[in-house]
Amino acid sequence: GAVVSQHPSRVICKSGTSVKIECRSLDFQATTMFWYRQFPKQSLMLMATSNEGSKATYEQGVEKDKFLINHASLTLSTLTVTSAHPEDSSFYICSARAPLAFYNEQFFGPGTRLTVL
Amino acid sequence: AQSVTQLDSQVPVFEEAPVELRCNYSSSVSVYLFWYVQYPNQGLQLLLKYLSGSTLVKGINGFEAEFNKSQTSFHLRKPSVHISDTAEYFCAVSYGGSQGNLIFGKGTKLSVKP
């Protein structure tokens, strides 16, 4: 149980285009999902916290108009990188928190490698 | 500010040798502690977690960690490593209980050599 999927696993796009990444909790409902960004050989940096049915909360320094997050249902959150540029190339990882969890365990997706040419 | 420090960015070790990956966190009244493993181009897999109770926590793949409140540490250990343990290991802390966000250390690259 507690599986989180991401799609696509890898995407290459041209500069200026928009890219959508999906994060799904496959066997549980997640009221809260998280989006992280990971640069090569670095740690995960939280970008935003997404709650079902409400606006996402972005971390300081993350452009909310650049990284659009939609958490439309209890099993799906999407991250759209708008007008992508080469500096947006990174590994994006989502996670989901099960609503009945007593502790703060997050279940992580396999990640999406974005390359902007 | 709340923080997590992984003291070693890289740890090379020979197969079947013991290993310890160090993690320290900034002091807090209540913390939940986690160790994750990341294989190349993959997401994070939970190795083990400390929430409360016994300070010695056993996880998957033969790993264990000990919570030391006085030293604000949560070091990860394995008595005998395998080639397949080569990966990036992240220590993470939640300072806000069940609703707190995770703060990650910078990671330690474990390289197991034959």
Side-chain angles (χ1 to χ4, degrees):
Chain A
V3 178
V4 176
S5 70
Q6 276 184 248
H7 178 79
S9 59
R10 185 181 296 266
V11 58
I12 301 173
C13 68
K14 293 182 179 180
S15 184
T17 61
S18 294
V19 174
K20 179 183 285 189
I21 303 170
E22 292 186 349
C23 176
R24 293 181 185 273
S25 56
L26 298 185
D27 50 5
F28 67 98
Q29 294 183 327
T31 55
T32 304
M33 289 186 171
F34 303 85
W35 287 96
Y36 295 86
R37 183 174 182 176
Q38 185 180 30
F39 289 105
K41 301 186 187 302
Q42 294 190 27
S43 188
L44 280 72
M45 298 300 296
L46 179 65
M47 298 175 65
T49 302
S50 157
N51 292 296
E52 187 265 339
S54 63
K55 291 183 178 180
T57 301
Y58 290 82
E59 295 299 300
Q60 190 174 6
V62 177
E63 301 174 60
K64 57 183 178 182
D65 295 330
K66 173 78 170 175
F67 299 99
L68 300 179
I69 292 172
N70 185 3
H71 193 159
S73 76
L74 288 172
T75 59
L76 173 64
S77 176
T78 60
L79 168 67
T80 301
V81 183
T82 62
S83 187
H85 289 97
E87 58 266 29
D88 298 324
S89 298
S90 190
F91 195 53
Y92 293 88
I93 302 175
C94 73
S95 70
R97 179 190 292 158
L100 296 180
F102 172 74
Y103 41 81
N104 191 33
E105 181 166 359
Q106 295 178 27
F107 301 100
F108 287 83
T112 297
R113 173 76 58 193
L114 171 63
T115 303
V116 185
L117 303 176
Chain B
Q2 297 155 342
S3 63
V4 180
T5 303
Q6 290 183 244
L7 297 168
D8 306 298
S9 60
Q10 296 187 52
V11 174
V13 64
F14 286 106
E15 193 174 19
E16 297 184 3
V19 71
E20 177 180 83
L21 306 183
R22 296 180 292 172
C23 174
N24 288 85
Y25 60 94
S26 55
S27 182
S28 178
V29 175
S30 173
V31 293
Y32 296 152
L33 299 157
F34 305 81
W35 274 100
Y36 292 89
V37 60
Q38 184 181 35
Y39 298 101
N41 295 309
Q42 293 187 30
L44 272 65
Q45 180 181 7
L46 180 67
L47 278 177
L48 48 78
K49 58 181 180 277
Y50 170 80
L51 309 175
S52 63
S54 173
T55 58
L56 183 62
V57 180
K58 293 189 183 297
I60 63 171
N61 301 342
F63 284 94
E64 63 180 33
E66 186 159 16
F67 169 57
N68 188 319
K69 187 174 182 179
S70 62
Q71 297 187 5
T72 60
S73 68
F74 190 55
H75 301 331
L76 181 70
R77 302 186 184 97
K78 186 169 182 177
S80 176
V81 295
H82 301 287
I83 298 287
S84 59
D85 292 323
T86 295
E88 191 83 26
Y89 292 79
F90 292 97
C91 179
V93 180
S94 168
Y95 288 95
S98 62
Q99 297 302 314
N101 291 337
L102 289 174
I103 298 175
F104 285 87
K106 292 188 175 182
T108 297
K109 170 68 175 178
L110 175 63
S111 299
V112 181
K113 305 175 185 301

PDB file of all heavy atoms in Angstrom, chain B residues 23-31 33 50-56 65-75:
ATOM      1  N   CYS B  23      23.934  12.105  11.248  1.00  0.00           N
ATOM      2  CA  CYS B  23      22.885  13.109  11.087  1.00  0.00           C
ATOM      3  C   CYS B  23      22.687  13.816  12.426  1.00  0.00           C
ATOM      4  O   CYS B  23      22.496  13.173  13.452  1.00  0.00           O
ATOM      5  CB  CYS B  23      21.579  12.462  10.644  1.00  0.00           C
ATOM      6  SG  CYS B  23      20.169  13.594  10.569  1.00  0.00           S
ATOM      7  N   ASN B  24      22.742  15.132  12.391  1.00  0.00           N
ATOM      8  CA  ASN B  24      22.433  15.947  13.562  1.00  0.00           C
ATOM      9  C   ASN B  24      21.354  16.958  13.195  1.00  0.00           C
ATOM     10  O   ASN B  24      21.279  17.409  12.058  1.00  0.00           O
ATOM     11  CB  ASN B  24      23.677  16.684  14.049  1.00  0.00           C
ATOM     12  CG  ASN B  24      24.671  15.754  14.703  1.00  0.00           C
ATOM     13  OD1 ASN B  24      25.487  15.128  14.039  1.00  0.00           O
ATOM     14  ND2 ASN B  24      24.577  15.637  16.016  1.00  0.00           N
ATOM     15  N   TYR B  25      20.543  17.311  14.169  1.00  0.00           N
ATOM     16  CA  TYR B  25      19.457  18.258  13.910  1.00  0.00           C
ATOM     17  C   TYR B  25      19.513  19.342  14.985  1.00  0.00           C
ATOM     18  O   TYR B  25      20.084  19.156  16.063  1.00  0.00           O
ATOM     19  CB  TYR B  25      18.107  17.537  13.908  1.00  0.00           C
ATOM     20  CG  TYR B  25      17.782  16.843  15.202  1.00  0.00           C
ATOM     21  CD1 TYR B  25      17.031  17.475  16.181  1.00  0.00           C
ATOM     22  CD2 TYR B  25      18.242  15.557  15.452  1.00  0.00           C
ATOM     23  CE1 TYR B  25      16.745  16.860  17.377  1.00  0.00           C
ATOM     24  CE2 TYR B  25      17.969  14.921  16.656  1.00  0.00           C
ATOM     25  CZ  TYR B  25      17.225  15.575  17.613  1.00  0.00           C
ATOM     26  OH  TYR B  25      16.954  14.956  18.811  1.00  0.00           O
ATOM     27  N   SER B  26      18.920  20.466  14.664  1.00  0.00           N
ATOM     28  CA  SER B  26      18.881  21.551  15.644  1.00  0.00           C
ATOM     29  C   SER B  26      17.851  21.200  16.703  1.00  0.00           C
ATOM     30  O   SER B  26      16.859  20.548  16.451  1.00  0.00           O
ATOM     31  CB  SER B  26      18.529  22.878  14.964  1.00  0.00           C
ATOM     32  OG  SER B  26      17.315  22.770  14.247  1.00  0.00           O
ATOM     33  N   SER B  27      18.120  21.588  17.889  1.00  0.00           N
ATOM     34  CA  SER B  27      17.356  21.149  19.038  1.00  0.00           C
ATOM     35  C   SER B  27      15.903  21.595  18.976  1.00  0.00           C
ATOM     36  O   SER B  27      15.587  22.658  18.476  1.00  0.00           O
ATOM     37  CB  SER B  27      17.994  21.694  20.320  1.00  0.00           C
ATOM     38  OG  SER B  27      17.289  21.251  21.455  1.00  0.00           O
ATOM     39  N   SER B  28      15.052  20.730  19.447  1.00  0.00           N
ATOM     40  CA  SER B  28      13.636  21.056  19.493  1.00  0.00           C
ATOM     41  C   SER B  28      12.972  20.192  20.557  1.00  0.00           C
ATOM     42  O   SER B  28      13.482  19.138  20.905  1.00  0.00           O
ATOM     43  CB  SER B  28      12.978  20.820  18.137  1.00  0.00           C
ATOM     44  OG  SER B  28      11.590  21.095  18.200  1.00  0.00           O
ATOM     45  N   VAL B  29      11.854  20.625  21.032  1.00  0.00           N
ATOM     46  CA  VAL B  29      11.158  19.870  22.065  1.00  0.00           C
ATOM     47  C   VAL B  29      10.683  18.516  21.529  1.00  0.00           C
ATOM     48  O   VAL B  29      10.832  17.490  22.170  1.00  0.00           O
ATOM     49  CB  VAL B  29       9.959  20.670  22.598  1.00  0.00           C
ATOM     50  CG1 VAL B  29       9.173  19.824  23.588  1.00  0.00           C
ATOM     51  CG2 VAL B  29      10.425  21.960  23.248  1.00  0.00           C
ATOM     52  N   SER B  30      10.153  18.548  20.347  1.00  0.00           N
ATOM     53  CA  SER B  30       9.570  17.325  19.805  1.00  0.00           C
ATOM     54  C   SER B  30       9.925  17.202  18.333  1.00  0.00           C
ATOM     55  O   SER B  30       9.683  18.121  17.554  1.00  0.00           O
ATOM     56  CB  SER B  30       8.040  17.367  19.967  1.00  0.00           C
ATOM     57  OG  SER B  30       7.442  16.286  19.310  1.00  0.00           O
ATOM     58  N   VAL B  31      10.517  16.092  17.983  1.00  0.00           N
ATOM     59  CA  VAL B  31      10.878  15.868  16.586  1.00  0.00           C
ATOM     60  C   VAL B  31      10.528  14.455  16.160  1.00  0.00           C
ATOM     61  O   VAL B  31      10.502  13.532  16.981  1.00  0.00           O
ATOM     62  CB  VAL B  31      12.387  16.100  16.324  1.00  0.00           C
ATOM     63  CG1 VAL B  31      12.765  17.554  16.496  1.00  0.00           C
ATOM     64  CG2 VAL B  31      13.231  15.202  17.224  1.00  0.00           C
ATOM     65  N   LEU B  33      11.941  11.788  13.244  1.00  0.00           N
ATOM     66  CA  LEU B  33      13.179  11.635  12.473  1.00  0.00           C
ATOM     67  C   LEU B  33      13.052  10.509  11.470  1.00  0.00           C
ATOM     68  O   LEU B  33      12.461   9.465  11.769  1.00  0.00           O
ATOM     69  CB  LEU B  33      14.344  11.361  13.431  1.00  0.00           C
ATOM     70  CG  LEU B  33      14.617  12.471  14.449  1.00  0.00           C
ATOM     71  CD1 LEU B  33      15.339  11.923  15.659  1.00  0.00           C
ATOM     72  CD2 LEU B  33      15.436  13.581  13.804  1.00  0.00           C
ATOM     73  N   TYR B  50      11.842   7.390  13.460  1.00  0.00           N
ATOM     74  CA  TYR B  50      11.682   7.464  14.907  1.00  0.00           C
ATOM     75  C   TYR B  50      10.550   8.446  15.196  1.00  0.00           C
ATOM     76  O   TYR B  50      10.604   9.611  14.793  1.00  0.00           O
ATOM     77  CB  TYR B  50      12.967   7.941  15.597  1.00  0.00           C
ATOM     78  CG  TYR B  50      12.727   8.238  17.062  1.00  0.00           C
ATOM     79  CD1 TYR B  50      12.681   7.200  17.995  1.00  0.00           C
ATOM     80  CD2 TYR B  50      12.486   9.530  17.493  1.00  0.00           C
ATOM     81  CE1 TYR B  50      12.419   7.468  19.329  1.00  0.00           C
ATOM     82  CE2 TYR B  50      12.225   9.803  18.825  1.00  0.00           C
ATOM     83  CZ  TYR B  50      12.186   8.777  19.738  1.00  0.00           C
ATOM     84  OH  TYR B  50      11.913   9.029  21.064  1.00  0.00           O
ATOM     85  N   LEU B  51       9.563   7.955  15.935  1.00  0.00           N
ATOM     86  CA  LEU B  51       8.452   8.817  16.331  1.00  0.00           C
ATOM     87  C   LEU B  51       8.430   8.992  17.842  1.00  0.00           C
ATOM     88  O   LEU B  51       8.222  10.084  18.358  1.00  0.00           O
ATOM     89  CB  LEU B  51       7.131   8.218  15.850  1.00  0.00           C
ATOM     90  CG  LEU B  51       7.085   7.839  14.368  1.00  0.00           C
ATOM     91  CD1 LEU B  51       5.777   7.139  14.036  1.00  0.00           C
ATOM     92  CD2 LEU B  51       7.266   9.076  13.496  1.00  0.00           C
ATOM     93  N   SER B  52       8.605   7.885  18.556  1.00  0.00           N
ATOM     94  CA  SER B  52       8.645   7.899  20.006  1.00  0.00           C
ATOM     95  C   SER B  52       9.067   6.504  20.462  1.00  0.00           C
ATOM     96  O   SER B  52       9.241   5.600  19.649  1.00  0.00           O
ATOM     97  CB  SER B  52       7.280   8.259  20.602  1.00  0.00           C
ATOM     98  OG  SER B  52       6.326   7.274  20.260  1.00  0.00           O
ATOM     99  N   GLY B  53       9.235   6.343  21.780  1.00  0.00           N
ATOM    100  CA  GLY B  53       9.525   5.017  22.303  1.00  0.00           C
ATOM    101  C   GLY B  53      10.997   4.680  22.264  1.00  0.00           C
ATOM    102  O   GLY B  53      11.851   5.534  22.504  1.00  0.00           O
ATOM    103  N   SER B  54      11.311   3.447  21.928  1.00  0.00           N
ATOM    104  CA  SER B  54      12.689   2.967  21.938  1.00  0.00           C
ATOM    105  C   SER B  54      13.573   3.824  21.042  1.00  0.00           C
ATOM    106  O   SER B  54      13.210   4.149  19.905  1.00  0.00           O
ATOM    107  CB  SER B  54      12.743   1.510  21.463  1.00  0.00           C
ATOM    108  OG  SER B  54      14.094   1.086  21.321  1.00  0.00           O
ATOM    109  N   THR B  55      14.734   4.157  21.570  1.00  0.00           N
ATOM    110  CA  THR B  55      15.634   5.033  20.813  1.00  0.00           C
ATOM    111  C   THR B  55      16.370   4.306  19.702  1.00  0.00           C
ATOM    112  O   THR B  55      16.941   4.937  18.820  1.00  0.00           O
ATOM    113  CB  THR B  55      16.647   5.692  21.752  1.00  0.00           C
ATOM    114  OG1 THR B  55      17.376   4.659  22.432  1.00  0.00           O
ATOM    115  CG2 THR B  55      15.954   6.579  22.766  1.00  0.00           C
ATOM    116  N   LEU B  56      16.377   2.996  19.745  1.00  0.00           N
ATOM    117  CA  LEU B  56      17.005   2.219  18.681  1.00  0.00           C
ATOM    118  C   LEU B  56      15.920   1.757  17.714  1.00  0.00           C
ATOM    119  O   LEU B  56      15.008   1.025  18.092  1.00  0.00           O
ATOM    120  CB  LEU B  56      17.749   1.009  19.260  1.00  0.00           C
ATOM    121  CG  LEU B  56      18.501   0.155  18.236  1.00  0.00           C
ATOM    122  CD1 LEU B  56      19.591   0.972  17.542  1.00  0.00           C
ATOM    123  CD2 LEU B  56      19.101  -1.075  18.917  1.00  0.00           C
ATOM    124  N   ALA B  65      19.041   2.806  13.316  1.00  0.00           N
ATOM    125  CA  ALA B  65      19.470   4.142  13.712  1.00  0.00           C
ATOM    126  C   ALA B  65      19.152   4.337  15.176  1.00  0.00           C
ATOM    127  O   ALA B  65      18.220   3.729  15.715  1.00  0.00           O
ATOM    128  CB  ALA B  65      18.768   5.209  12.868  1.00  0.00           C
ATOM    129  N   GLU B  66      19.924   5.191  15.815  1.00  0.00           N
ATOM    130  CA  GLU B  66      19.721   5.457  17.232  1.00  0.00           C
ATOM    131  C   GLU B  66      19.458   6.934  17.458  1.00  0.00           C
ATOM    132  O   GLU B  66      20.247   7.796  17.045  1.00  0.00           O
ATOM    133  CB  GLU B  66      20.923   5.013  18.057  1.00  0.00           C
ATOM    134  CG  GLU B  66      20.681   5.145  19.560  1.00  0.00           C
ATOM    135  CD  GLU B  66      21.612   4.277  20.373  1.00  0.00           C
ATOM    136  OE1 GLU B  66      22.623   3.813  19.814  1.00  0.00           O
ATOM    137  OE2 GLU B  66      21.307   4.055  21.563  1.00  0.00           O
ATOM    138  N   PHE B  67      18.362   7.209  18.113  1.00  0.00           N
ATOM    139  CA  PHE B  67      17.989   8.573  18.459  1.00  0.00           C
ATOM    140  C   PHE B  67      18.698   8.934  19.766  1.00  0.00           C
ATOM    141  O   PHE B  67      18.551   8.249  20.782  1.00  0.00           O
ATOM    142  CB  PHE B  67      16.478   8.676  18.631  1.00  0.00           C
ATOM    143  CG  PHE B  67      15.996   9.966  19.244  1.00  0.00           C
ATOM    144  CD1 PHE B  67      16.309  11.180  18.650  1.00  0.00           C
ATOM    145  CD2 PHE B  67      15.232   9.957  20.401  1.00  0.00           C
ATOM    146  CE1 PHE B  67      15.852  12.372  19.197  1.00  0.00           C
ATOM    147  CE2 PHE B  67      14.779  11.145  20.961  1.00  0.00           C
ATOM    148  CZ  PHE B  67      15.099  12.351  20.362  1.00  0.00           C
ATOM    149  N   ASN B  68      19.482  10.012  19.729  1.00  0.00           N
ATOM    150  CA  ASN B  68      20.185  10.481  20.915  1.00  0.00           C
ATOM    151  C   ASN B  68      19.758  11.921  21.165  1.00  0.00           C
ATOM    152  O   ASN B  68      20.221  12.857  20.501  1.00  0.00           O
ATOM    153  CB  ASN B  68      21.702  10.388  20.705  1.00  0.00           C
ATOM    154  CG  ASN B  68      22.468  10.676  21.978  1.00  0.00           C
ATOM    155  OD1 ASN B  68      22.111  11.582  22.729  1.00  0.00           O
ATOM    156  ND2 ASN B  68      23.517   9.915  22.215  1.00  0.00           N
ATOM    157  N   LYS B  69      18.883  12.075  22.130  1.00  0.00           N
ATOM    158  CA  LYS B  69      18.299  13.397  22.365  1.00  0.00           C
ATOM    159  C   LYS B  69      19.326  14.386  22.892  1.00  0.00           C
ATOM    160  O   LYS B  69      19.348  15.555  22.494  1.00  0.00           O
ATOM    161  CB  LYS B  69      17.137  13.288  23.355  1.00  0.00           C
ATOM    162  CG  LYS B  69      16.353  14.573  23.543  1.00  0.00           C
ATOM    163  CD  LYS B  69      15.143  14.354  24.420  1.00  0.00           C
ATOM    164  CE  LYS B  69      14.329  15.638  24.554  1.00  0.00           C
ATOM    165  NZ  LYS B  69      13.113  15.421  25.390  1.00  0.00           N
ATOM    166  N   SER B  70      20.214  13.930  23.773  1.00  0.00           N
ATOM    167  CA  SER B  70      21.187  14.842  24.374  1.00  0.00           C
ATOM    168  C   SER B  70      22.181  15.353  23.338  1.00  0.00           C
ATOM    169  O   SER B  70      22.653  16.487  23.427  1.00  0.00           O
ATOM    170  CB  SER B  70      21.929  14.145  25.515  1.00  0.00           C
ATOM    171  OG  SER B  70      22.664  13.031  25.024  1.00  0.00           O
ATOM    172  N   GLN B  71      22.485  14.533  22.350  1.00  0.00           N
ATOM    173  CA  GLN B  71      23.410  14.941  21.295  1.00  0.00           C
ATOM    174  C   GLN B  71      22.688  15.384  20.032  1.00  0.00           C
ATOM    175  O   GLN B  71      23.332  15.716  19.039  1.00  0.00           O
ATOM    176  CB  GLN B  71      24.370  13.789  20.964  1.00  0.00           C
ATOM    177  CG  GLN B  71      25.262  13.399  22.147  1.00  0.00           C
ATOM    178  CD  GLN B  71      26.317  12.375  21.766  1.00  0.00           C
ATOM    179  OE1 GLN B  71      26.463  12.009  20.613  1.00  0.00           O
ATOM    180  NE2 GLN B  71      27.054  11.910  22.760  1.00  0.00           N
ATOM    181  N   THR B  72      21.387  15.423  20.079  1.00  0.00           N
ATOM    182  CA  THR B  72      20.535  15.772  18.919  1.00  0.00           C
ATOM    183  C   THR B  72      21.048  15.093  17.660  1.00  0.00           C
ATOM    184  O   THR B  72      21.294  15.723  16.633  1.00  0.00           O
ATOM    185  CB  THR B  72      20.435  17.303  18.718  1.00  0.00           C
ATOM    186  OG1 THR B  72      21.740  17.846  18.488  1.00  0.00           O
ATOM    187  CG2 THR B  72      19.813  17.945  19.925  1.00  0.00           C
ATOM    188  N   SER B  73      21.199  13.772  17.764  1.00  0.00           N
ATOM    189  CA  SER B  73      21.700  13.010  16.619  1.00  0.00           C
ATOM    190  C   SER B  73      20.779  11.842  16.299  1.00  0.00           C
ATOM    191  O   SER B  73      20.011  11.370  17.146  1.00  0.00           O
ATOM    192  CB  SER B  73      23.112  12.495  16.900  1.00  0.00           C
ATOM    193  OG  SER B  73      23.080  11.512  17.930  1.00  0.00           O
ATOM    194  N   PHE B  74      20.905  11.372  15.074  1.00  0.00           N
ATOM    195  CA  PHE B  74      20.119  10.225  14.611  1.00  0.00           C
ATOM    196  C   PHE B  74      20.962   9.540  13.539  1.00  0.00           C
ATOM    197  O   PHE B  74      20.669   9.579  12.358  1.00  0.00           O
ATOM    198  CB  PHE B  74      18.775  10.694  14.052  1.00  0.00           C
ATOM    199  CG  PHE B  74      17.779   9.590  13.764  1.00  0.00           C
ATOM    200  CD1 PHE B  74      17.413   8.680  14.750  1.00  0.00           C
ATOM    201  CD2 PHE B  74      17.185   9.474  12.515  1.00  0.00           C
ATOM    202  CE1 PHE B  74      16.489   7.685  14.493  1.00  0.00           C
ATOM    203  CE2 PHE B  74      16.250   8.472  12.244  1.00  0.00           C
ATOM    204  CZ  PHE B  74      15.912   7.581  13.238  1.00  0.00           C
ATOM    205  N   HIS B  75      22.026   8.885  13.980  1.00  0.00           N
ATOM    206  CA  HIS B  75      22.974   8.270  13.055  1.00  0.00           C
ATOM    207  C   HIS B  75      22.459   6.936  12.525  1.00  0.00           C
ATOM    208  O   HIS B  75      21.874   6.139  13.271  1.00  0.00           O
ATOM    209  CB  HIS B  75      24.328   8.063  13.737  1.00  0.00           C
ATOM    210  CG  HIS B  75      24.956   9.332  14.240  1.00  0.00           C
ATOM    211  ND1 HIS B  75      24.731  10.568  13.659  1.00  0.00           N
ATOM    212  CD2 HIS B  75      25.816   9.553  15.276  1.00  0.00           C
ATOM    213  CE1 HIS B  75      25.412  11.503  14.297  1.00  0.00           C
ATOM    214  NE2 HIS B  75      26.089  10.916  15.294  1.00  0.00           N
TER     215      HIS B  75
END
